[in-house]
Amino acid sequence: MNEQTKVYTSPEEKVAWLGTDPIPAKAYYDPEWFELERQAIFMRTWIEVGHVCELPEPGTWIRRELEFANASILIVRGKDGQIRAFYNACTHRGTQLVEEESGKGANFLCPYHFWNFGDDGRLIAAPDFERFALEKKDCKIPKVSVDTHAGLIFINLDPNPRQTLLEHLGAYAEGMEKLPVARATHFAEYSYEIDANWKITYDNFQENYHLRHVHGLTGIATVHPDNLYGYPTDYTFDGNNRTQEIWSNPTPKITPMQGYNFGLAAKFGMEEGVIGGPHDRTYFAIFPSFFIIGTPIQHFSHKVYPISATKSRGVFRVYWVGADDSASKRYAREYSLASIHDIHIEDVNIIRRAQKGLLSGAIKNIHFMTMEGLCRHLYQCVAKEIEAWQAEQAAKGEPA
Amino acid sequence: MSNQQLPDGFEVLEPFVDFWAVHGTANRDARRTESTDAQRKAFYQIAKDHVPRALEYLDQTPLGELDAKQTNLMNLLLAFAHVVNAVELLDKGEAKHAQFRAAMPFIRSTADLPA
């Protein structure tokens, strides 16, 4: 056995504990199961929604739509520098305060009856307020728990979160702080809505079994006879989170301008100090549906937001440290962005087909092979969280 | 009167300006989708030999100070960044690939920001 073979077969031992049982296909399309996921997980778990570079100064704010909660959320950096989050809803009659995706301003003025809220959610003024049987102090916009780590903004819709964000990130919190995203100042974004369950969508990006077939042309640089599928070199697990170490092809097939362009990007990456970190090849998967890849030249994250049992929305971001400050840097970034976009486009179509095949109900079980262990781990974590939530509900005497 | 749209020394790239030199990452991506195989290959074959020289030239001027001709050259190079994979990696697979591109639109790009 040569050295190359040894590194990519050993990870199989790391996933043996997950077992080999078939996975019930219903969990990937059934509305009742989705409702359990929504209640047990998404409504009470830390959800990644953005980056602190979107809130560069006091008074800046962003709006985020969370379809799974029918909620629009405002995330605001207040005059005191603190980041807060609120429901985007006026406490008078519920009108959405803002329609723009982002903005700057100390106040939020409801366009309906001009109730005016401060950046801390307090009602500052309302026309003819004396005619209400209310006190302003009781009219604050409902708050949402928010915290940041490694530059990333997370919210939690549970008014009393079960865990802090740091507890949620667990053993991977420290490593994430060493990623370029922690220092990012700029990003590019592309997104998609897809007729597919959030787990089917997310799972596509947790396994490399498909790379050889779906990305046969765009991913040719990863093809090597010693590791035909480009399987990871390692996996780790911590609670509901997991990592994989991306395999590095010793002799990648690089085309002429691809080589030149990535060479430029690598030069800038060196100058920005984002290359050579301890997690350059690490994929951090944070429960339930966020991941970020350590790779510094195309340092991207992916978040899958569930919409229904068979619909989801994905948001990819490619993060950069520093602005485009030269023609060469702008060109290198455009190429890096277009390249990773090329690969992800191929994923969207195949995910849609995966969902379509399940909808008839004819497929009762799906099967994950060893190197799809991260997908198996996600399903098991989801099932465990639902079970725990049902037990909590039963203890409270409430239906689950 | 000259119809020159690029800085002196880049005349060889003039035939590609009208179609390819557009502002915005999403617009460049759309141009790639709309383009024919012949358009992409013609652009690639000529432009590839001039990219390093063009970048070296543009790097001498801050991005915020590029004049109209230099901006055309910058936009042309940025469009080339989208064409490279279409020609070098996908080739005949580009047509199938293009069918799905609109499903994943660019929302934001640093190249769209004012310099």
Side-chain angles (χ1 to χ4, degrees):
Chain A
M1 184 184 289
N2 65 34
E3 188 60 27
Q4 194 60 246
T5 305
K6 198 159 62 182
V7 289
Y8 69 77
T9 52
S10 60
E12 299 200 74
E13 297 159 20
K14 299 279 183 75
V15 296
W17 66 280
L18 294 166
T20 57
D21 289 347
I23 306 293
K26 216 172 174 182
Y28 295 79
Y29 62 81
D30 177 47
E32 287 182 19
W33 179 269
F34 176 76
E35 179 58 18
L36 291 172
E37 290 178 340
R38 203 179 69 80
Q39 296 280 355
I41 297 167
F42 286 93
M43 294 302 290
R44 60 180 199 158
T45 301
W46 291 97
I47 305 292
E48 195 271 352
V49 292
H51 192 274
V52 293
C53 71
E54 297 176 86
L55 303 169
E57 51 192 285
T60 50
W61 53 265
I62 52 177
R63 174 177 61 81
R64 290 290 181 264
E65 299 303 303
L66 299 178
E67 294 91 343
F68 65 80
N70 287 321
S72 177
I73 307 294
L74 284 174
I75 302 149
V76 188
R77 187 183 290 280
K79 286 187 283 292
D80 57 1
Q82 291 296 307
I83 293 177
R84 299 180 179 87
F86 309 97
Y87 285 91
N88 179 19
C90 177
T91 48
H92 172 210
R93 282 164 57 186
T95 310
Q96 287 207 328
L97 295 168
V98 302
E99 285 188 320
E100 299 82 0
E101 289 188 6
S102 63
K104 187 180 175 189
N107 299 342
F108 295 98
L109 183 66
C110 178
Y112 205 168
H113 302 92
F114 275 34
W115 281 34
N116 193 7
F117 299 90
D119 64 15
D120 57 358
R122 282 182 306 116
L123 177 63
I124 297 169
D128 223 5
F129 191 72
E130 296 72 24
R131 292 180 188 269
F132 287 91
L134 289 171
E135 289 190 52
K136 284 183 187 158
K137 68 178 177 58
D138 297 324
C139 297
K140 289 178 186 168
I141 319 171
K143 280 176 72 172
V144 173
S145 298
V146 62
D147 203 352
T148 65
H149 188 79
L152 298 161
I153 303 170
F154 293 78
I155 63 160
N156 192 322
L157 295 175
D158 186 340
N160 300 296
R162 296 169 292 163
Q163 296 176 301
T164 65
L165 175 60
L166 270 181
E167 287 166 347
H168 176 66
L169 299 175
Y172 302 135
E174 188 181 343
M176 288 172 72
E177 280 188 315
K178 296 186 171 75
L179 298 177
V181 70
R183 294 197 286 129
T185 56
H186 292 73
F187 63 89
E189 182 177 304
Y190 47 89
S191 70
Y192 62 97
E193 275 198 16
I194 188 165
D195 290 330
N197 179 273
W198 69 274
K199 297 187 299 302
I200 290 181
T201 307
Y202 188 72
D203 277 348
N204 176 79
F205 302 91
Q206 293 204 95
E207 52 89 359
N208 290 8
Y209 185 30
H210 75 284
L211 299 187
R212 191 176 175 207
H213 312 291
V214 175
H215 309 300
L217 297 172
T218 55
I220 196 155
T222 62
V223 174
H224 189 281
D226 280 356
N227 187 358
L228 283 176
Y229 295 90
Y231 289 137
T233 59
D234 197 9
Y235 300 118
T236 70
F237 300 89
D238 179 64
N240 289 344
N241 303 325
R242 63 202 82 90
T243 68
Q244 54 181 311
E245 289 297 313
I246 307 300
W247 178 69
S248 187
N249 187 344
T251 55
K253 289 177 195 159
I254 303 290
T255 55
M257 289 312 295
Q258 183 187 33
Y260 172 81
N261 296 342
F262 277 136
L264 265 185
K267 184 187 88 149
F268 293 124
M270 292 292 282
E271 289 174 8
E272 290 153 7
V274 294
I275 291 181
H279 299 293
D280 279 6
R281 308 297 293 175
T282 310
Y283 163 113
F284 291 89
I286 304 301
F287 189 78
S289 57
F290 173 77
F291 75 73
I292 187 154
I293 295 235
T295 48
I297 291 177
Q298 293 160 304
H299 185 52
F300 73 93
S301 70
H302 183 207
K303 175 77 200 175
V304 180
Y305 296 94
I307 294 176
S308 71
T310 55
K311 194 174 179 70
S312 55
R313 179 167 59 86
V315 178
F316 283 98
R317 284 184 167 194
V318 184
Y319 282 102
W320 315 110
V321 176
D324 299 2
D325 56 10
S326 69
S328 288
K329 185 177 283 187
R330 179 158 281 188
Y331 169 81
R333 285 183 176 180
E334 188 87 349
Y335 178 73
S336 294
L337 178 61
S339 291
I340 198 73
H341 186 244
D342 273 349
I343 294 171
H344 292 151
I345 286 164
E346 294 167 346
D347 292 309
V348 169
N349 185 46
I350 206 72
I351 294 165
R352 188 179 292 116
R353 287 177 63 165
Q355 182 74 57
K356 277 189 172 176
L358 289 178
L359 288 178
S360 69
I363 305 295
K364 302 299 181 195
N365 291 302
I366 64 171
H367 304 279
F368 293 128
M369 53 93 94
T370 313
M371 288 302 202
E372 295 174 296
L374 301 195
C375 307
R376 181 180 295 279
H377 183 243
L378 174 61
Y379 169 75
Q380 291 180 353
C381 293
V382 166
K384 182 188 71 181
E385 288 294 323
I386 288 175
E387 201 174 310
W389 181 77
Q390 287 175 319
E392 286 174 39
Q393 296 302 104
K396 286 192 278 189
E398 293 176 14
Chain B
M1 199 173 108
S2 168
N3 290 323
Q4 187 179 322
Q5 298 184 84
L6 294 174
D8 290 344
F10 296 97
E11 290 81 359
V12 68
L13 299 175
E14 287 280 348
F16 306 106
V17 173
D18 286 343
F19 184 81
W20 291 107
V22 294
H23 174 74
T25 297
N27 291 330
R28 291 186 279 271
D29 185 56
R31 277 285 191 270
R32 173 179 167 185
T33 300
E34 295 157 10
S35 64
T36 65
D37 188 49
Q39 276 178 304
R40 290 187 298 274
K41 283 180 177 160
F43 181 32
Y44 173 85
Q45 285 303 332
I46 300 295
K48 68 180 169 54
D49 296 329
H50 301 279
V51 168
R53 182 172 65 90
L55 288 174
E56 193 177 336
Y57 163 77
L58 289 174
D59 279 346
Q60 294 168 30
T61 306
L63 285 172
E65 297 173 19
L66 299 180
D67 64 23
K69 290 180 181 177
Q70 290 168 328
T71 299
N72 281 340
L73 182 58
M74 183 78 248
N75 284 336
L76 199 57
L77 293 173
L78 293 172
F80 181 77
H82 289 259
V83 167
V84 168
N85 288 351
V87 175
E88 287 192 348
L89 296 178
L90 286 154
D91 194 14
K92 292 191 171 26
E94 170 69 7
K96 184 181 177 192
H97 200 268
Q99 293 173 39
F100 310 116
R101 195 169 292 128
M104 192 181 278
F106 286 104
I107 307 297
R108 176 170 171 151
S109 166
T110 54
D112 298 350
L113 299 173

